[in-house]
PDB file of all heavy atoms in Angstrom:
ATOM      1  N   SER A 593      96.107  78.430  92.463  1.00 49.00           N
ATOM      2  CA  SER A 593      95.406  78.470  93.818  1.00 49.00           C
ATOM      3  C   SER A 593      96.447  78.687  94.955  1.00 49.00           C
ATOM      4  O   SER A 593      96.193  78.070  95.990  1.00 49.00           O
ATOM      5  CB  SER A 593      94.601  77.066  93.943  1.00 49.00           C
ATOM      6  OG  SER A 593      93.609  76.993  93.036  1.00 49.00           O
ATOM      7  N   VAL A 594      97.521  79.416  94.607  1.00 51.00           N
ATOM      8  CA  VAL A 594      98.404  79.848  95.740  1.00 51.00           C
ATOM      9  C   VAL A 594      97.723  80.674  96.670  1.00 51.00           C
ATOM     10  O   VAL A 594      97.919  80.602  97.857  1.00 51.00           O
ATOM     11  CB  VAL A 594      99.664  80.352  95.137  1.00 51.00           C
ATOM     12  CG1 VAL A 594     100.606  80.859  96.183  1.00 51.00           C
ATOM     13  CG2 VAL A 594     100.423  79.392  94.191  1.00 51.00           C
ATOM     14  N   SER A 595      96.902  81.573  96.143  1.00 58.00           N
ATOM     15  CA  SER A 595      96.274  82.617  96.965  1.00 58.00           C
ATOM     16  C   SER A 595      94.658  82.580  96.794  1.00 58.00           C
ATOM     17  O   SER A 595      94.074  83.299  96.053  1.00 58.00           O
ATOM     18  CB  SER A 595      96.648  83.979  96.588  1.00 58.00           C
ATOM     19  OG  SER A 595      98.024  84.228  96.743  1.00 58.00           O
ATOM     20  N   PRO A 596      94.119  81.499  97.250  1.00 66.00           N
ATOM     21  CA  PRO A 596      92.628  81.149  96.959  1.00 66.00           C
ATOM     22  C   PRO A 596      91.759  82.212  97.677  1.00 66.00           C
ATOM     23  O   PRO A 596      90.526  82.305  97.323  1.00 66.00           O
ATOM     24  CB  PRO A 596      92.424  79.833  97.651  1.00 66.00           C
ATOM     25  CG  PRO A 596      93.370  79.719  98.646  1.00 66.00           C
ATOM     26  CD  PRO A 596      94.653  80.426  98.161  1.00 66.00           C
ATOM     27  N   ASP A 597      92.202  83.018  98.596  1.00 76.00           N
ATOM     28  CA  ASP A 597      91.355  84.064  99.360  1.00 76.00           C
ATOM     29  C   ASP A 597      91.257  85.404  98.742  1.00 76.00           C
ATOM     30  O   ASP A 597      90.588  86.145  99.201  1.00 76.00           O
ATOM     31  CB  ASP A 597      91.784  84.128 100.749  1.00 76.00           C
ATOM     32  CG  ASP A 597      91.668  82.761 101.475  1.00 76.00           C
ATOM     33  OD1 ASP A 597      90.698  82.016 101.165  1.00 76.00           O
ATOM     34  OD2 ASP A 597      92.469  82.437 102.385  1.00 76.00           O
ATOM     35  N   ASN A 598      92.068  85.593  97.710  1.00 79.00           N
ATOM     36  CA  ASN A 598      92.224  86.949  97.033  1.00 79.00           C
ATOM     37  C   ASN A 598      92.543  86.786  95.554  1.00 79.00           C
ATOM     38  O   ASN A 598      93.202  85.868  95.123  1.00 79.00           O
ATOM     39  CB  ASN A 598      93.094  87.874  97.833  1.00 79.00           C
ATOM     40  CG  ASN A 598      94.590  87.384  97.861  1.00 79.00           C
ATOM     41  OD1 ASN A 598      94.955  86.555  98.621  1.00 79.00           O
ATOM     42  ND2 ASN A 598      95.393  87.864  96.850  1.00 79.00           N
ATOM     43  N   TYR A 599      92.343  87.847  94.721  1.00 82.00           N
ATOM     44  CA  TYR A 599      92.823  87.995  93.452  1.00 82.00           C
ATOM     45  C   TYR A 599      94.247  88.407  93.529  1.00 82.00           C
ATOM     46  O   TYR A 599      94.699  89.039  94.530  1.00 82.00           O
ATOM     47  CB  TYR A 599      92.066  88.953  92.702  1.00 82.00           C
ATOM     48  CG  TYR A 599      90.531  88.530  92.476  1.00 82.00           C
ATOM     49  CD1 TYR A 599      89.557  89.146  93.062  1.00 82.00           C
ATOM     50  CD2 TYR A 599      90.218  87.527  91.653  1.00 82.00           C
ATOM     51  CE1 TYR A 599      88.177  88.896  93.008  1.00 82.00           C
ATOM     52  CE2 TYR A 599      88.945  87.076  91.494  1.00 82.00           C
ATOM     53  CZ  TYR A 599      87.925  87.762  92.150  1.00 82.00           C
ATOM     54  OH  TYR A 599      86.608  87.417  92.077  1.00 82.00           O
ATOM     55  N   ILE A 600      95.101  88.142  92.530  1.00 84.00           N
ATOM     56  CA  ILE A 600      96.463  88.696  92.476  1.00 84.00           C
ATOM     57  C   ILE A 600      96.341  89.725  91.289  1.00 84.00           C
ATOM     58  O   ILE A 600      95.560  89.655  90.313  1.00 84.00           O
ATOM     59  CB  ILE A 600      97.423  87.614  92.153  1.00 84.00           C
ATOM     60  CG1 ILE A 600      97.061  86.903  90.829  1.00 84.00           C
ATOM     61  CG2 ILE A 600      97.575  86.701  93.366  1.00 84.00           C
ATOM     62  CD1 ILE A 600      98.187  85.863  90.487  1.00 84.00           C
ATOM     63  N   LEU A 601      97.113  90.894  91.591  1.00 86.00           N
ATOM     64  CA  LEU A 601      97.208  91.872  90.625  1.00 86.00           C
ATOM     65  C   LEU A 601      98.306  91.762  89.580  1.00 86.00           C
ATOM     66  O   LEU A 601      99.367  92.462  89.551  1.00 86.00           O
ATOM     67  CB  LEU A 601      97.358  93.271  91.370  1.00 86.00           C
ATOM     68  CG  LEU A 601      96.169  93.463  92.402  1.00 86.00           C
ATOM     69  CD1 LEU A 601      96.546  94.887  93.115  1.00 86.00           C
ATOM     70  CD2 LEU A 601      94.951  93.517  91.780  1.00 86.00           C
TER      71      LEU A 601
END
Side-chain angles (χ1 to χ4, degrees):
S593 298
V594 175
S595 303
D597 296 328
N598 61 275
Y599 299 108
I600 57 175
L601 301 179

